[in-house]
Amino acid sequence: MGAKRKKNETADWENDDVDSNFSKKKKSKNEDGDGDGEGKKEILPSTIKNKEKRSAALAKLKHEKKLEKRKKLKAREASEKQALELGVEPPPRPVPRTIENTRELDETVCKPDDDELFAGNDVDEFSLVLKRERAPKILITTCRFNSTRGPLFIKELLSVIPSAEYRKRGTYDLKKIIEYATNKDFTTVIDVHTSRREPDALLIICLPYGPTAHFKLSNLVLRKDIKNHGNPTGHHPELVLTNFTTRLGHRIGRVIQSLFPQDPNFRGRRVVTFHNQRDYIFFRHHRYIFETKESKDNDSKGQKVKQQKVIARLQECGPRFTLKLISLQHGTFDTKSGEYEWVHKPEMDTSRRRFFL
């Protein structure tokens, strides 16, 4: 009996020890945040191995972020509304951090009080055209090995650029074509280069003294591939150039500007846009349309009255493409002994916040 009693006592003591150790472990888990206590850590979706649980956790996290963003937006709108009611200036909105507003400082950025820049505009190669002393006359040609989309692209370029003419390349060298165009009083030669049956480069040669701009062409969408596209008229288009801020960008802008007449016909409602963003030049060709729509509004007596509103909308005419400057050469096209003003090199792309146009 004594031995049995002693054995039961030792068993009870062992059970008490196990219970105390278990409670200590549970307490330490709650303190570390691994248990079910208040200090539980948030589990990242990327650490979940189960695919269904991982996708559900990610969807929940996105939903929570969306609700938090909406809550902040409503709070900001309420504070702005309250400030307007009190006649106080609303709190300034936070400026989002983008690559454009954090770009590296560039000494060549043009300033509005740069007298040297404006003095150079009066004597550069494009001054006669931009002062309307000489009408632009453009000759468009292709490379020797043309493709099916090349002539279609040239056909749409002829509808975009007024006073442009097309000449077949044949077996002539580009220098012979430049000499012919100079004798015929052309102001610019545009050479459309194709590779693998797709236009991939543009060479803009200003006559008679240059310069020559070489662009890489990408993301070409022809007019027939644009949904609900419009057909351009024969009016001279308005030209819009944006974000050409540096000296090089200013010069490229004047190269593009010299292709178009300087007397746009505003009644034609045609707009040609060259938008520079991160050294990529996006080309768009639009036509703006005015429409009158009837709407019913309540007057002072509460009766519904029909009113006509004029609404302006844009209709894209095409084509649509993107240009990237490869080089800018002094004088006309010369690959052997030509001097370059600027050449794009691979080591220039080390920083995403460095722009040249």
Side-chain angles (χ1 to χ4, degrees), residues 37-282:
E38 294 180 356
K40 186 176 180 180
K41 288 184 179 179
E42 185 180 357
I43 300 174
L44 295 174
S46 59
T47 60
I48 302 173
K49 295 183 179 180
N50 189 292
K51 185 178 179 181
E52 293 183 358
K53 291 182 179 179
R54 184 170 64 246
S55 59
L58 183 62
K60 184 179 178 181
L61 186 64
K62 284 184 177 180
H63 181 67
E64 289 175 356
K65 286 184 178 180
K66 190 176 181 181
L67 290 177
E68 187 179 356
K69 186 178 180 181
R70 193 180 297 173
K71 187 178 180 181
K72 288 182 179 180
L73 184 63
K74 285 184 178 180
R76 189 180 70 188
E77 289 177 353
S79 63
E80 288 179 354
K81 186 177 180 181
Q82 185 179 4
L84 290 173
E85 289 176 355
L86 297 174
V88 186
E89 288 188 4
R93 291 194 174 188
V95 180
R97 183 181 175 87
T98 61
I99 294 179
E100 282 82 4
N101 59 22
T102 57
R103 65 178 294 180
E104 294 181 4
L105 293 175
D106 193 347
E107 297 178 355
T108 63
V109 172
C110 301
K111 297 179 181 179
D113 57 347
D114 194 346
D115 298 331
E116 182 182 353
L117 178 68
F118 295 112
N121 291 340
D122 297 333
V123 293
D124 65 359
E125 301 91 338
F126 324 105
S127 58
L128 294 178
V129 175
L130 299 183
K131 288 179 180 179
R132 303 182 187 179
E133 297 178 5
R134 185 182 181 188
K137 189 179 178 183
I138 316 300
L139 187 146
I140 301 178
T141 186
T142 62
C143 62
R144 288 183 177 178
F145 304 101
N146 205 356
S147 64
T148 53
R149 278 169 62 89
L152 294 175
F153 175 55
I154 290 173
K155 184 179 178 182
E156 296 186 8
L157 273 184
L158 292 172
S159 65
V160 171
I161 305 174
S163 65
E165 301 178 14
Y166 170 66
R167 294 286 188 275
K168 287 185 179 181
R169 174 69 176 269
T171 58
Y172 294 101
D173 291 334
L174 192 56
K175 290 184 178 181
K176 293 288 184 182
I177 295 175
I178 292 171
E179 185 179 349
Y180 164 81
T182 306
N183 295 332
K184 295 292 182 179
D185 291 332
F186 283 95
T187 59
T188 309
V189 173
I190 299 178
D191 181 34
V192 179
H193 186 270
T194 57
S195 176
R196 296 179 182 179
R197 300 182 179 181
E198 183 73 18
D200 67 337
L202 277 184
L203 199 65
I204 301 178
I205 306 165
C206 301
L207 300 178
Y209 307 114
T212 300
H214 180 204
F215 295 95
K216 178 185 175 183
L217 190 145
S218 59
N219 301 329
L220 174 62
V221 182
L222 297 176
R223 183 178 301 147
K224 62 184 181 63
D225 298 325
I226 297 175
K227 189 178 179 181
N228 299 326
H229 65 84
N231 295 318
T233 59
H235 298 84
H236 290 177
E238 305 172 42
L239 184 63
V240 178
L241 300 171
T242 55
N243 287 346
F244 293 90
T245 55
T246 63
R247 290 275 183 130
L248 177 64
H250 179 76
R251 190 155 173 78
I252 293 299
R254 287 179 71 82
V255 170
I256 296 171
Q257 196 175 357
S258 65
L259 301 176
F260 295 88
Q262 303 304 304
D263 50 349
N265 298 329
F266 296 101
R267 291 183 179 272
R269 300 171 309 195
R270 287 180 61 197
V271 182
V272 171
T273 306
F274 289 87
H275 174 70
N276 173 42
Q277 187 172 359
R278 303 179 190 178
D279 286 348
Y280 287 93
I281 303 172
F282 299 93

